[in-house]
Amino acid sequence: QSALTQPASVSGSPGQSTTISCTGTSSDVGGYKYVSWLQQHPGKAPKLIIYEVNNRPSGVSSRFSGSKSGDTASLTISGLQAEDEADYYCSSYTSSGTLVFGGGTKLTVL
Amino acid sequence: QVELAESGGGVVQPGGSLRLSCAASGFTFSSYAMFWVRQAPGKGLEWVALISHDGNNKYYADSVRGRFTTSRDNSKNTLYLQMNGLRGEDTAVYFCTRDRLHGSGTPDYWGQGTLVAVSS
């Protein structure tokens, strides 16, 4: 049950794009389409923004997109806005039938 | 709309017990698997437990197995987490969250969380 690997922090200027990676193994990220991304603002509950690698729930901006290659999933945020500043977590279904999260990435909008 | 509301958190001494509840509304509770996820102060998310839609299958993180037990009452639309033998490292905000699709491991809706503080 090792956590998925994410960079601790990323940053970008308003209007730019940024990408957050999430690396696991063939027993989680690489083995299933069930990779999700969550956004968490300080003091708030996490919010699902991407599910099944590249699907957005209703109401989530199209500026958020996901992809996966092998054991690594990625979240790309285009047209960065101040409101995007938050912590981002990836999660994946695992071969044990459970759930594993990444360590989280703090996005700073400069 | 889907709503999840945790309750039951508080301050407890090491070795003590606490039972958390999660009241669900706005969806057919009995059709969905549910997760417990926790977040220690200033730290990331940690999956704690999973219970199937009918309560027959339960899975636990290694860090809580043997001490925590999850259950559900589908007639009351309520999820529970019984926590025994609490340790300092169990201090966290505990969230309940719904699995979007059976067996997908996709936490789509989250409660606001309830804080558990283990301290003497």
Side-chain angles (χ1 to χ4, degrees):
Chain A
Q1 295 181 355
S2 298
L4 306 176
T5 301
Q6 297 181 231
S9 64
V10 298
S11 63
S13 300
Q16 290 186 333
S17 295
T18 192
T19 297
I20 300 171
S21 62
C22 169
T23 301
T25 69
S26 59
S27 295
D28 38 64
V29 173
Y32 305 94
K33 68 176 184 178
Y34 298 118
V35 176
S36 305
W37 288 92
L38 302 128
Q39 176 192 61
Q40 187 180 34
H41 287 105
K44 301 295 187 181
K47 172 188 174 184
L48 182 69
I49 57 172
I50 294 287
Y51 67 95
E52 292 178 18
V53 176
N54 57 10
N55 291 279
R56 286 186 309 276
S58 175
V60 173
S61 172
S62 58
R63 298 185 299 104
F64 294 94
S65 61
S67 62
K68 190 182 83 163
S69 177
D71 295 342
T72 298
S74 299
L75 171 71
T76 298
I77 309 171
S78 59
L80 277 173
Q81 299 179 0
E83 68 207 46
D84 298 332
E85 187 161 292
D87 293 325
Y88 291 83
Y89 295 90
C90 60
S91 71
S92 175
Y93 179 80
T94 79
S95 58
S96 302
T98 60
L99 180 63
V100 63
F101 289 98
T105 298
K106 180 177 180 59
L107 168 64
T108 300
V109 180
L110 301 170
Chain B
Q1 69 279 21
V2 172
E3 291 190 356
L4 298 169
E6 303 91 341
S7 60
V11 181
V12 60
Q13 293 187 337
S17 297
L18 213 54
R19 187 176 87 154
L20 306 183
S21 299
C22 170
S25 61
F27 66 103
T28 305
F29 180 68
S30 59
S31 296
Y32 289 85
M34 299 292 295
F35 304 110
W36 287 100
V37 175
R38 69 183 180 183
Q39 186 170 35
K43 303 297 185 182
L45 302 174
E46 179 189 14
W47 170 74
V48 172
L50 158 68
I51 184 168
S52 61
H53 68 98
D54 57 5
N56 287 338
N57 296 291
K58 304 172 186 181
Y59 304 86
Y60 300 93
D62 291 344
S63 56
V64 307
R65 188 176 295 115
R67 300 186 298 122
F68 290 12
T69 301
T70 188
S71 61
R72 64 193 296 161
D73 186 338
N74 285 344
S75 68
K76 295 182 178 180
N77 291 343
T78 303
L79 174 71
Y80 302 101
L81 184 67
Q82 177 66 43
M83 304 184 294
N84 299 330
L86 283 162
R87 307 167 179 167
E89 55 263 38
D90 296 319
T91 294
V93 174
Y94 285 74
F95 298 97
C96 64
T97 174
R98 188 184 80 165
D99 190 358
R100 179 181 172 274
L101 279 178
H102 174 68
S104 72
T106 303
D108 62 352
Y109 286 92
W110 295 64
Q112 82 287 350
T114 187
L115 176 62
V116 172
V118 183
S119 174
S120 54

